[in-house]
Amino acid sequence: MKKIYPNAAEALDGLLFDGMFIAAGGFGLCGIPELLLGAIKDAGTKDLTFASNNAGVDDFGIGILLQTRQVKKMISSYVGENAEFMRQYLSGELELEFNPQGTLAERMRAGGCGIPGFYTKTGVGTVIAEGKEHKDFNGETYIMEEGIFTDLAIVKAWKADETGNLIFRKTARNFNPPAAMCGKTCVVEVEEIVPTGSLDPDHIHLPGIYVHRIIQGDHEKRIEQRTTRKREEA
């Protein structure tokens, strides 16, 4: 099966439709599938629901789709660093489902493993637990969270081989692997595609069985909050 595509637009061809549910990898500005998000913007697909830890910043990441009003709902754990995200939420233009960070990652992973729901103590006694099933185990109360299964997953990896085995770098490994797992179709952008067999099996973070399409491209390296100290006088 052909997995390598020449660019983001061709890799998404035939997959996009209005009202679809998309899982997107990335953590802050690290590991964002920026080329695929740009192609979704160019395609004009609208009324989208995104499951993603955050929405990047105003002009990067999912933020570019918020600017064009293509996003209907976000399932996220963090809304900071994005003024447009905050403005749309507070004005009632954008639906938002808050999830604790670990719960969101586990919901994605559970969906990818075919697990429809699981119990967690996180959120018990808070607004997160409202309307959710409660159950006691060994004298402790837990709430049930549903697994996430999306129409599409878009992620960013460091390396891929031609069969889709993936290696992520550092913080990009936080949300990209579970996001990749939970999509009916998974499209990945990488910095480098290497020949099959050249990756050490012990170093592979996500097996190619989860990956359907791959593109290679150039990526921007951004820093969310640059903090430096003054150079000491000579």
Side-chain angles (χ1 to χ4, degrees):
M1 182 178 71
K2 172 188 174 184
K3 289 192 175 183
I4 300 174
Y5 286 71
N7 55 58
E10 292 193 37
L12 292 172
D13 185 43
L15 301 178
L16 301 177
F17 58 90
D18 292 346
M20 70 186 304
F21 188 10
I22 302 174
F27 191 81
L29 298 184
C30 179
I32 291 176
E34 61 201 74
L35 304 177
L36 294 166
L37 288 168
I40 293 172
K41 176 185 176 181
D42 292 342
T45 315
K46 60 183 185 297
D47 296 326
L48 301 172
T49 296
F50 271 93
S52 177
N53 177 66
N54 56 290
V57 291
D58 292 307
D59 62 344
F60 193 61
I62 297 173
I64 64 173
L65 298 175
L66 291 170
Q67 288 181 333
T68 53
R69 305 296 194 276
Q70 290 171 252
V71 182
K72 177 182 70 175
K73 179 179 179 179
M74 290 292 305
I75 302 174
S76 297
S77 67
Y78 182 62
V79 301
E81 316 301 335
N82 192 319
E84 182 61 17
F85 189 172
M86 181 174 64
R87 188 200 67 76
Q88 288 189 27
Y89 169 58
L90 293 176
S91 66
E93 300 172 39
L94 177 70
E95 297 177 48
L96 175 61
E97 181 182 331
F98 265 129
N99 275 216
Q101 208 161 68
T103 298
L104 179 58
E106 180 60 15
R107 289 183 67 193
M108 291 178 174
R109 191 200 69 84
C113 294
I115 299 171
F118 59 91
Y119 290 97
T120 176
K121 289 179 67 177
T122 305
V124 172
T126 73
V127 294
I128 295 295
E130 292 178 2
K132 295 177 181 175
E133 179 187 338
H134 288 60
K135 191 175 180 66
D136 287 349
F137 294 90
N138 300 317
E140 299 283 348
T141 301
Y142 294 73
I143 57 174
M144 192 183 80
E145 296 282 0
E146 294 185 5
I148 289 175
F149 187 72
T150 65
D151 300 305
L152 175 68
I154 54 172
V155 302
K156 159 91 174 6
W158 178 44
K159 285 185 180 182
D161 67 15
E162 295 161 336
T163 66
N165 293 312
L166 303 180
I167 296 177
F168 301 91
R169 271 182 63 77
K170 303 184 186 299
T171 307
R173 194 176 170 188
N174 282 0
F175 268 91
N176 274 297
M181 293 172 66
C182 74
K184 182 179 179 181
T185 302
C186 175
V187 183
V188 183
E189 59 184 73
V190 300
E191 297 180 32
E192 183 181 5
I193 299 174
V194 299
T196 300
S198 62
L199 297 179
D200 184 335
D202 286 335
H203 294 167
I204 291 169
H205 298 140
L206 189 76
I209 189 68
Y210 289 104
V211 176
H212 301 88
R213 301 182 182 186
I214 311 164
I215 63 166
Q216 180 175 315
D218 296 322
H219 297 86
E220 184 177 352
K221 305 292 186 183
R222 286 208 187 188
I223 298 175
E224 232 167 324
Q225 297 287 347
R226 185 184 296 274
T227 303
T228 61
R229 65 180 180 179
K230 292 183 179 179
R231 185 186 298 272
E232 294 181 6
E233 296 294 335

